[in-house]
C-alpha cells in the first residue's frame, strides 16, 4: 500500500444528537387522531422517552390534534420536538380564534381536552396569532 492510498483508521465518534423532531401536515379528518397517537408513541420509544412521560405526551397530542380537527380550519399541522431536556408539541391550523380552557360540567361528554393538557404538561399556551396551541414537557436528566 502506498502512502497515497493509505487511509488512517478513524475512531468512531458518536454524534451528539441535540434535537429530534417530526412534523406532519394532515387533512382535518378524525381518523388522523389515532394515527398521530401511534406515530407519537413510536417516536417516544425511538427517542427513549420514559414510558409514563411518553403516555402523557401521546395523550396531549391526541387532545390538541382533536381540538384542531374539531374547532380549527384547513390543514392541521403537528410538530413534536425533543431537545434533550424538553419535549414540545405544537398543533397549528388556520383558525385565528385561540384555543381556550373551559370548565366542563359533570354531565358534559366533551370540553376537558385543554384541562388535561394543562394538568399533564409542564406548560402550555397559544401563539399570538391564535393558530398554534403548544405544550411542553420536562424530560428527566440522564435521558437521551
Amino acid at each position: 500500500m502506498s502512502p497515497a492510498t493509505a487511509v488512517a483508521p478513524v475512531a468512531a465518534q458518536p454524534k451528539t444528537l441535540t434535537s429530534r423532531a417530526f412534523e406532519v401536515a394532515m387533512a382535518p379528518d378524525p381518523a388522523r387522531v389515532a394515527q398521530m397517537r401511534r406515530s407519537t408513541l413510536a417516536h417516544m420509544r425511538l427517542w427513549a422517552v420514559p414510558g409514563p412521560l411518553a403516555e402523557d405526551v401521546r395523550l396531549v397530542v391526541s387532545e390538541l390534534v382533536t381540538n384542531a380537527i374539531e374547532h380549527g380550519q384547513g390543514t392541521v399541522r403537528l410538530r413534536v420536538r425533543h431537545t434533550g431536556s424538553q419535549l414540545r408539541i405544537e398543533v397549528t391550523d388556520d383558525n385565528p380564534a385561540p384555543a381556550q380552557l373551559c370548565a366542563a360540567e359533570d354531565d358534559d361528554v366533551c370540553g376537558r381536552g385543554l384541562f388535561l393538557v394543562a394538568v399533564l404538561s409542564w406548560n402550555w399556551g397559544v401563539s399570538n396569532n391564535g393558530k398554534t396551541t403548544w405544550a411542553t414537557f420536562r424530560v428527566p436528566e440522564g435521558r437521551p
Side-chain angles (χ1 to χ4, degrees):
M1 178 176 346
S2 73
T5 59
V7 177
V10 177
Q13 296 288 330
K15 290 186 177 181
T16 303
L17 193 54
T18 57
S19 181
R20 303 171 187 114
F22 76 93
E23 190 166 340
V24 179
M26 67 199 92
D29 178 352
R32 300 290 184 203
V33 177
Q35 292 172 337
M36 293 307 100
R37 280 194 302 259
R38 287 190 302 271
S39 292
T40 298
L41 199 51
H43 280 88
M44 296 301 102
R45 287 186 195 121
L46 178 67
W47 298 340
V49 173
L53 177 58
E55 286 298 324
D56 290 349
V57 170
R58 183 182 65 90
L59 181 56
V60 167
V61 163
S62 182
E63 293 300 333
L64 293 181
V65 170
T66 297
N67 279 356
I69 289 170
E70 290 182 1
H71 306 292
Q73 299 171 354
T75 300
V76 174
R77 291 167 296 284
L78 166 66
R79 183 176 189 196
V80 180
R81 289 184 296 159
H82 182 303
T83 59
S85 63
Q86 181 176 299
L87 267 158
R88 181 176 175 95
I89 301 164
E90 297 173 354
V91 176
T92 304
D93 63 68
D94 294 329
N95 186 352
Q100 294 181 336
L101 188 63
C102 63
E105 298 295 324
D106 291 344
D107 296 341
D108 291 343
V109 294
C110 60
R112 293 175 183 82
L114 287 178
F115 176 75
L116 288 172
V117 171
V119 168
L120 295 173
S121 66
W122 177 61
N123 197 6
W124 77 280
V126 179
S127 65
N128 289 337
N129 67 4
K131 296 181 180 185
T132 300
T133 305
W134 56 267
T136 58
F137 293 83
R138 289 185 172 169
V139 178
E141 287 192 35
R143 290 291 179 170

